[in-house]
Amino acid sequence: MPIDRKPEFFKGAQLKVAIIGCGYVGLPLALRFAEAGHKVTGFDTDPNKINMLNAGRSYIEHIPQTKIQQFVNSRHFGATDGFYSLEGRGRHPHLRADATGRAPRARPELCRANSYFDSAEPAEGPARGSGIYDVSRNHGRVGAANLRKEWLALPHCRRAGNDNVACDFWLAFSPEREDPGNKQYGLAQIPKVVGGVNPPSGRAAQSLYAQVVARVVPVSSTRAAEMAKLLENIFRCVNIALVNELKMLSLRMGIDIWEVIDAASTKPFGFMPFYPGPGLGGHCIPVDPYYLS
């Protein structure tokens, strides 16, 4: 029988938190929950990462090794590449921090993002008991979380004997806002946008994230949270591309683009400086606009 838990359960002390994906987004999130006193298991498909983490070593430049060692030694953090090692954590939060790829012809590769969840047996996967399945990293089309609910969450819950996604299984979207190496704004200081597929899901995710970030920003739905993430990244994509074009134009005209940007930045309203450089500010920035196609 499913355990009926209220969304406020996730305000509780020492939850068992599973972080799916231990990259530059998932690992800081895992360590932040460990710092808040929870028992955290990080899941990743790369055995080298798992071995390094369990030995208290870091493979991400801006994450200090001493911090990982601290939580491994205190048994607040451990890592695994075996999905079934997460068995028994179904009534506690599962937070996804894996990247959504792009298939040929620029189509979002949502099947890869869902594969970990879809491969689990309902008796031993995240649908067991009550829990949050929270997509905290990967972007997708607006409405992707609702599709996951229909395609994945509800069938798994029903096979496990749970028909009520509102009470027995919470599904939310909370986009990442990582800026690796930023010494001014770390994970704890950056506001967290949270939207649920229904009000109980939203409240559960808010209760959880309020323990690790200074401010939680609730929105009305997962669709609103997904669109907010796309807006943030497309804003950067458009403006970085624009300034790169203006840099090449200025070069042909014999104008110093840096001087131009500095001059325009003195306007106290209606302007934000962007600077030319290689790429578009991260692997996800050029991909996200296709999620509106």
Side-chain angles (χ1 to χ4, degrees):
M1 292 293 292
I3 301 171
D4 187 9
R5 298 190 190 276
K6 302 299 182 185
E8 290 69 28
F9 165 78
F10 296 98
K11 291 179 179 177
Q14 204 171 81
L15 299 170
K16 296 176 182 177
V17 182
I19 305 292
I20 313 299
C22 293
Y24 76 94
V25 172
L27 185 55
L29 188 63
L31 297 177
R32 182 72 187 103
F33 274 107
E35 188 176 12
H38 302 294
K39 296 284 189 179
V40 183
T41 299
F43 171 85
D44 203 283
T45 57
D46 185 344
N48 293 325
K49 288 183 179 179
I50 301 308
N51 292 335
M52 290 183 71
L53 290 174
N54 287 330
R57 295 160 56 200
S58 178
Y59 45 81
I60 299 176
E61 184 177 351
H62 67 280
I63 298 178
Q65 189 162 289
T66 53
K67 194 169 187 178
I68 299 174
Q69 288 174 342
Q70 174 188 347
F71 296 123
V72 169
N73 292 339
S74 67
R75 299 185 180 275
H76 281 87
F77 176 71
T80 181
D81 59 359
F83 181 81
Y84 290 101
S85 298
L86 304 181
E87 181 182 356
R89 293 175 181 269
R91 66 186 185 279
H92 290 270
H94 284 69
L95 308 186
R96 287 263 303 275
D98 56 319
T100 297
R102 190 175 64 173
R105 297 186 182 179
R107 288 175 296 136
E109 196 176 14
L110 297 178
C111 58
R112 187 182 78 181
N114 289 332
S115 60
Y116 106 88
F117 188 84
D118 199 28
S119 64
E121 290 296 326
E124 299 185 9
R128 180 179 179 177
S130 300
I132 292 179
Y133 166 64
D134 184 318
V135 186
S136 61
R137 160 61 176 88
N138 49 36
H139 330 312
R141 294 182 189 274
V142 174
N146 279 313
L147 290 176
R148 291 189 182 102
K149 179 184 76 171
E150 297 297 331
W151 295 348
L152 301 174
L154 287 180
H156 277 269
C157 287
R158 286 166 182 158
R159 291 188 204 111
N162 304 348
D163 282 323
N164 192 348
V165 74
C167 295
D168 298 320
F169 192 97
W170 293 281
L171 176 60
F173 181 80
S174 181
E176 59 86 14
R177 286 172 162 174
E178 278 292 320
D179 189 13
N182 190 322
K183 299 186 186 310
Q184 183 177 2
Y185 296 108
L187 190 152
Q189 291 79 42
I190 300 172
K192 203 87 172 74
V193 173
V194 170
V197 294
N198 47 40
S201 292
R203 293 199 305 273
Q206 291 171 47
S207 297
L208 178 68
Y209 276 120
Q211 301 178 60
V212 296
V213 298
R215 182 186 174 201
V216 175
V217 182
V219 293
S220 60
S221 65
T222 52
R223 288 164 56 85
E226 289 161 343
M227 182 62 88
K229 178 60 178 175
L230 290 180
L231 175 59
E232 292 173 18
N233 280 8
I234 293 171
F235 173 80
R236 291 181 62 200
C237 177
V238 169
N239 284 284
I240 294 171
L242 171 64
V243 79
N244 280 343
E245 291 289 331
L246 290 176
K247 196 268 183 188
M248 292 188 291
L249 177 62
S250 297
L251 185 63
R252 291 196 297 269
M253 297 175 67
I255 300 171
D256 184 348
I257 187 62
W258 305 97
E259 179 186 12
V260 171
I261 295 170
D262 288 343
S265 297
T266 62
K267 184 180 179 181
F269 56 90
F271 182 82
M272 177 181 292
F274 286 81
Y275 299 95
L280 280 176
H283 74 278
C284 56
I285 303 299
V287 174
D288 286 2
Y290 288 102
Y291 295 146
L292 291 177
S293 64

